[in-house]
Amino acid sequence: MKWTTIIDTNGQDQRVLDTVLKELILDHIHDMIFIMKVEEGPSFRYLYINESAKRYTSIQHGDMGRLLEEVVSFEMATDLQEKYTQLVQNGESVTYQDTFFHTNGSQVVNESILTPIKDGYGRVEYVVSITRDVTSSILEKKKLMKAKERYKSIIEHNLDAIFILDGQGIIKESNGAGCSLTGYSKENLVNMNIYDLFHSQNEKLLTESLMQTLMGTPSTIDYSLLLNEAGEEKITQLKLVPIVVKEKCDGCYIIVKDITKHHEQNEMIHYMALHDQLTGLWNRKALDDHVPIIIHNMEERGIELSLLYLDLDRFKFVNDTLGLKGGDRFLKKITERLVTLTNEECLLYRQGGDEFIFLLKNSGFEDTKTKAKEILALFIDPFTIDEQEFYISPSVGISRYPADGYDSNSLIQKAAQALFEVKEKGRAHYRFYQTHMKSSFPNYIIMEAHLRRAIEKGELYVHYQPQVNLATGTIDSFEALVRWNNRKFGFVSPAQFIPLAEETGLIHQIGEWVLEQVCIQLQKWRNKGYKTVRVAINISPKQFLQEQLVDTIDFYLSTYNLPASCIEIEITEGAMQDTQQTLKMLRKLKELGVYISVDDFGTGYSSLHYLKRFPIDILKIDQSFVKEIGLNQKDSAITTTIIHLAHSLGLEVIAEGVEREGQVDFLKQANCQKAQGYFFSKPICPKEIEQQQFVLM
Ligand code: C2E
Ligand code: MG
Ligand code: MG
């Protein structure tokens, strides 16, 4: 239906227009419709307005047939006159928007279409204006725009890089942070494949995440390496979020967080957790981490591992001299030297304080020995601190995997036990762990608690080592040596627990117990009718200084009905410091009638003076000299000298620690009366002594 056809008609058609258009369409639509008749001028006369127009404007039915300027305000008339005139002149439809205030004060935005209706000559005869209130749709649009801008702002100003990907993983958009992170411009990023931004090692993970996200479920990748334009690696964390439009996934956002710095900080924390701050060496925690890995890697090849536990001798004195800071500098200098021995197979750790640990991978016994010697050799030259030269030596205890333990803890413990032995035996050398050291580890506090109850628990017993008369081969004396077999520590050597007993005062109790045990044993043998023998009892310096020692010995001798001559008291040179008191005590013992011997002779601060003054009966040559007989001229000479000295003073001599026949021959030649050692017999229990009948018959 053409408007022109309908309007440009006779009266009959006009009625159709009136009824059909007016009632059905014009009066029922929400848009305002104005039809103006164009007259000379041109001027415009209201011909028709629909119900909507009447509702929203002040124009009423009565205004029909009146001119524009007669109906609306001057301002509006001028405005409309201009628009209508333009339409008449151009003959083309125009659309425009205007804003006005409703009678109720609200702002209304209208959109109008002006359409010309022309006569047969192409002249504009009528102007039809259809005006729509677009206020709400404009507001909607504005809201939408705002939301769009907000969303754009989130993306654009986000500190994390955000890329919009299509379903094929092609970048369709990137924000500014995406450009900064990657180094590419927006233009370059667009149409780039996301895989091109990441290290190939991430490919699989990225594919899985993309697939999951494009199926509609967001995903994350905690660690991925992004390669920027300059080829630098950035550690990133990814979040992939699906873009769902009308319930269909239309690509995804990929949010890339640069965690390089965070990661570096973590690395730093990790580094600090595993390294010693002073020296920069690995620390104990690192050792605990490394050992299982090394063992695991070696196990397949069945190779061994050595742990060398190094402790600086008397470092406390260095600290006392240089102060803590100076001590630290010293430790750094030492570290510098130690580091020269490290390589892929030889790792170095600071265990703490003045203790270091070397781990030697794939090392046999001989390689380890060589390494230990190399470590010792590093300390031959002095260390210079503040233009002052310091000499220091290390002690090294060694344990080996798998022989001594399967984890760092037990390997360290065993090496520490070996180290303890090194310290005990004069420091500045190295020693491999041996099973006999098992119990020697000085966990003193626990050990003391156990030692306190050793007697009542029946853990102590006495062994006897025969002393052989070298001239006749007969045996008429023994040395009593206490033994401790503890539930926790196993067999503990007296060289370990006697010093502890001395320190804690337990020595008095233990010493007295040994004395009584020896007396009980001697009485048993006497009762069995065995020949009379003498037993030497070790008396520690502390015991020796006890006033009541003589009374105690006297008490047990009489209790078990024994002559004093069957007891020998072994004291060390160390116990003879205070000459007055020593002399008094020795005299009393002599009065009682026991024998007195000097144990470990030659190792203490010997003074020939006391040999003359003190009432001593026997000298026991320390095993360190005996050991070297025939091997070391000096020691052989010392042994001979001690024998001669003893003879000239009228003393008996016993050589300790005789292990070889050569030593026996040498001692015999030097006229040494007696010898004691593994060559003849180890210290054994009374029962065994009885079994070797010749001993007691
Ligand atoms: P010591 O009195 O010098 O005892 C000699 C040590 O040498 C003993 O060690 C003995 O087992 C060991 N020995 C004997 N023959 C040989 C040998 O041929 N080769 C080697 N390598 N060693 C040999 P043990 O029994 O371990 O005693 C160590 C130290 O403990 C003793 O040294 C002594 O000082 C102390 N001790 C032992 N029993 C007692 C005791 O009842 N009271 C006190 N106060 N000290 C004791
Ligand atoms: Mg002894
Ligand atoms: Mg000795």
Side-chain angles (χ1 to χ4, degrees):
M1 180 163 56
K2 273 190 172 169
W3 279 68
T4 42
T5 331
I6 293 168
I7 291 168
D8 187 18
T9 49
N10 55 28
Q12 175 65 30
D13 290 339
Q14 190 65 43
R15 270 197 307 280
V16 175
L17 173 90
D18 277 351
T19 49
V20 179
L21 287 183
K22 181 173 161 285
E23 284 183 21
L24 288 179
I25 305 171
L26 301 180
D27 288 347
H28 287 92
I29 60 171
H30 287 291
D31 297 343
M32 293 179 274
I33 299 175
F34 306 87
I35 302 175
M36 313 296 288
K37 171 108 176 110
V38 182
E39 294 182 357
E40 282 293 306
S43 61
F44 304 91
R45 194 178 293 280
Y46 281 98
L47 195 63
Y48 171 81
I49 64 169
N50 72 346
E51 285 304 310
S52 219
K54 277 184 216 159
R55 224 173 301 136
Y56 293 112
T57 65
S58 54
I59 308 167
Q60 293 308 311
H61 190 67
D63 293 325
M64 295 306 104
R66 297 173 70 185
L67 288 171
L68 180 66
E69 56 269 29
E70 293 166 351
V71 174
V72 296
S73 66
F74 174 75
E75 232 174 284
M76 198 166 191
T78 318
D79 183 37
L80 289 174
Q81 174 75 31
E82 195 182 317
K83 286 185 172 112
Y84 293 169
T85 305
Q86 221 177 340
L87 180 84
V88 170
Q89 284 165 0
N90 295 340
E92 302 273 315
S93 290
V94 282
T95 307
Y96 68 91
Q97 228 177 49
D98 56 6
T99 307
F100 70 93
F101 287 92
H102 200 275
T103 39
N104 65 15
S106 61
Q107 194 183 18
V108 181
V109 182
N110 284 334
E111 198 171 76
S112 304
I113 308 171
L114 296 183
T115 309
I117 296 175
K118 298 175 185 168
D119 63 12
Y121 305 102
R123 284 182 308 232
V124 177
E125 231 184 337
Y126 302 96
V127 173
V128 178
S129 164
I130 303 170
T131 299
R132 179 173 288 179
D133 179 355
V134 291
T135 317
S136 56
S137 83
I138 291 255
L139 281 177
E140 272 306 300
K141 245 190 215 162
K142 269 193 181 163
K143 251 195 209 160
L144 211 72
M145 286 260 289
K146 219 171 175 182
K148 221 173 169 181
E149 264 162 32
R150 275 198 195 129
Y151 142 88
K152 255 193 114 168
S153 180
I154 291 179
I155 302 235
E156 192 50 46
H157 298 118
N158 206 303
L159 293 175
D160 295 333
I162 301 178
F163 305 107
I164 298 176
L165 306 189
D166 68 7
Q168 273 67 50
I170 303 296
I171 298 175
K172 288 292 150 198
E173 246 181 81
S174 160
N175 65 353
C179 299
S180 327
L181 178 68
T182 58
Y184 293 108
S185 67
K186 274 192 188 176
E187 294 70 41
N188 284 343
L189 279 171
V190 171
N191 289 331
M192 198 184 235
N193 194 319
I194 191 73
Y195 288 94
D196 294 341
L197 282 182
F198 289 93
H199 197 285
S200 58
Q201 73 182 39
N202 300 115
E203 201 177 303
K204 190 167 166 271
L205 203 59
L206 196 55
T207 306
E208 284 167 6
S209 289
L210 266 175
M211 273 170 46
Q212 179 187 327
T213 309
L214 291 171
M215 301 279 278
T217 311
S219 61
T220 54
I221 298 177
D222 286 334
Y223 181 97
S224 63
L225 279 184
L226 180 139
L227 292 170
N228 71 7
E229 198 204 7
E232 292 159 353
E233 288 182 347
K234 302 262 180 184
I235 299 161
T236 58
Q237 211 171 45
L238 312 186
K239 280 199 174 77
L240 290 87
V241 183
I243 302 174
V244 181
V245 178
K246 289 186 185 154
E247 292 175 15
K248 257 187 79 186
C249 190
D250 185 35
C252 73
Y253 294 108
I254 173 159
I255 304 162
V256 184
K257 195 180 197 63
D258 182 0
I259 54 163
T260 312
K261 270 221 173 84
H262 177 76
H263 196 81
E264 280 167 3
Q265 274 170 0
N266 274 355
E267 290 260 285
M268 188 70 187
I269 291 167
H270 186 68
Y271 178 90
M272 277 162 71
L274 294 180
H275 287 80
D276 168 55
Q277 291 209 25
L278 177 70
T279 59
L281 296 176
W282 274 315
N283 61 13
R284 170 66 196 268
K285 165 95 182 54
L287 179 80
D288 288 343
D289 287 358
H290 292 176
V291 168
I293 298 168
I294 295 171
I295 287 177
H296 176 80
N297 291 342
M298 288 188 332
E299 240 165 21
E300 289 149 20
R301 289 176 283 152
I303 303 173
E304 294 159 305
L305 169 77
S306 298
L307 186 148
L308 295 86
Y309 195 142
L310 183 158
D311 181 282
L312 300 171
D313 299 329
R314 300 190 176 93
F315 188 72
K316 193 185 161 310
F317 296 113
V318 176
N319 258 347
D320 290 348
T321 317
L322 291 171
L324 282 180
K325 281 205 172 134
D328 281 354
R329 272 189 289 149
F330 202 161
L331 285 172
K332 279 190 189 166
K333 292 226 161 179
I334 288 168
T335 305
E336 279 167 24
R337 286 198 197 172
L338 294 177
V339 163
T340 60
L341 296 182
T342 60
N343 54 42
E344 252 184 44
E345 301 283 281
C346 176
L347 313 176
L348 175 61
Y349 304 80
R350 184 170 176 220
Q351 151 86 356
D354 61 344
E355 295 172 3
F356 298 85
I357 287 176
F358 280 99
L359 271 188
L360 271 193
K361 295 192 224 169
N362 311 328
S363 60
F365 190 75
E366 287 305 319
D367 306 330
T368 308
K369 245 165 118 176
T370 311
K371 188 59 84 176
K373 284 178 188 159
E374 281 171 14
I375 294 172
L376 296 181
L378 289 177
F379 291 80
I380 293 172
D381 293 332
F383 292 85
T384 312
I385 308 275
D386 296 339
E387 290 164 14
Q388 214 182 322
E389 289 191 337
F390 289 87
Y391 285 90
I392 198 159
S393 60
S395 293
V396 182
I398 305 169
S399 62
R400 299 188 19 85
Y401 168 87
D404 304 331
Y406 296 100
D407 53 49
S408 60
N409 251 348
S410 49
L411 288 171
I412 290 176
Q413 207 185 346
K414 299 287 166 53
Q417 288 167 24
L419 176 65
F420 182 68
E421 287 256 327
V422 175
K423 294 273 180 193
E424 284 281 288
K425 306 263 159 69
R427 304 182 173 95
H429 62 284
Y430 66 88
R431 214 171 252 258
F432 283 85
Y433 171 78
Q434 287 169 317
T435 34
H436 79 263
M437 297 173 181
K438 201 162 112 199
S439 50
S440 65
F441 189 58
N443 194 338
Y444 281 133
I445 296 178
I446 300 173
M447 194 184 269
E448 184 194 329
H450 282 262
L451 189 57
R452 279 191 189 280
R453 309 189 60 191
I455 294 176
E456 67 182 81
K457 286 200 158 177
E459 292 178 350
L460 293 182
Y461 48 96
V462 182
H463 274 182
Y464 296 83
Q465 188 173 36
Q467 298 174 330
V468 179
N469 186 313
L470 287 175
T472 62
T474 54
I475 294 160
D476 53 17
S477 61
F478 300 87
E479 177 176 2
L481 292 154
V482 69
R483 296 290 175 257
W484 180 27
N485 192 1
N486 176 258
R487 178 174 48 84
K488 179 176 169 66
F489 298 100
F491 174 74
V492 188
S493 156
Q496 310 305 333
F497 75 82
I498 293 295
L500 177 66
E502 284 194 313
E503 219 170 280
T504 54
L506 284 169
I507 193 66
H508 302 298
Q509 214 184 326
I510 294 172
E512 192 172 328
W513 181 85
V514 172
L515 174 67
E516 184 174 11
Q517 295 310 303
V518 169
C519 290
I520 292 171
Q521 191 57 57
L522 280 170
Q523 192 194 41
K524 272 189 195 162
W525 282 337
R526 280 165 74 90
N527 289 347
K528 283 186 180 177
Y530 296 140
K531 71 176 177 188
T532 306
V533 288
R534 187 177 77 205
V535 174
I537 298 170
N538 290 282
I539 298 290
S540 78
K542 263 211 177 144
Q543 249 181 305
F544 183 69
L545 296 176
Q546 245 190 327
E547 285 282 329
Q548 66 270 39
L549 177 67
V550 181
D551 290 342
T552 312
I553 297 171
D554 191 24
F555 170 78
Y556 286 112
L557 285 175
S558 53
T559 305
Y560 296 100
N561 205 14
L562 297 167
S565 57
C566 64
I567 295 292
E568 176 185 319
I569 298 301
E570 275 191 21
I571 45 174
T572 54
E573 289 166 294
M576 300 184 185
Q577 298 297 319
D578 181 355
T579 49
Q580 269 314 318
Q581 213 180 334
T582 307
L583 190 62
K584 221 169 103 191
M585 178 59 83
L586 289 174
R587 281 202 180 130
K588 274 193 191 167
L589 284 169
K590 271 303 348 150
E591 267 166 38
L592 186 67
V594 296
Y595 284 82
I596 295 167
S597 59
V598 180
D599 201 359
D600 305 337
F601 185 77
T603 57
Y605 298 93
S606 319
S607 153
L608 290 178
H609 184 66
Y610 78 73
L611 284 183
K612 253 170 66 187
R613 275 184 71 200
F614 293 163
I616 294 161
D617 304 298
I618 303 149
L619 285 189
K620 296 188 75 174
I621 308 172
D622 188 68
Q623 33 181 300
S624 59
F625 304 114
V626 178
K627 200 158 96 187
E628 298 291 314
I629 285 175
L631 308 171
N632 181 327
Q633 273 197 339
K634 231 189 207 167
D635 286 319
S636 307
I638 290 172
T639 307
T640 319
T641 309
I642 296 173
I643 295 167
H644 288 169
L645 176 78
H647 286 167
S648 62
L649 290 170
L651 305 176
E652 189 180 307
V653 202
I654 302 178
E656 280 190 286
V658 176
E659 293 180 351
R660 303 185 302 273
E661 197 162 11
Q663 293 166 320
V664 179
D665 296 338
F666 179 92
L667 292 166
K668 270 185 186 165
Q669 278 214 310
N671 276 328
C672 178
Q673 281 111 323
K674 283 185 177 175
Q676 171 186 349
Y678 297 169
F679 177 75
F680 304 106
S681 167
K682 286 199 167 186
I684 47 178
C685 66
K687 210 169 179 188
E688 272 182 272
I689 289 193
E690 285 172 33
Q691 279 160 2
Q692 299 186 11
Q693 287 169 5
F694 66 94
V695 173
L696 292 166
M697 289 303 178

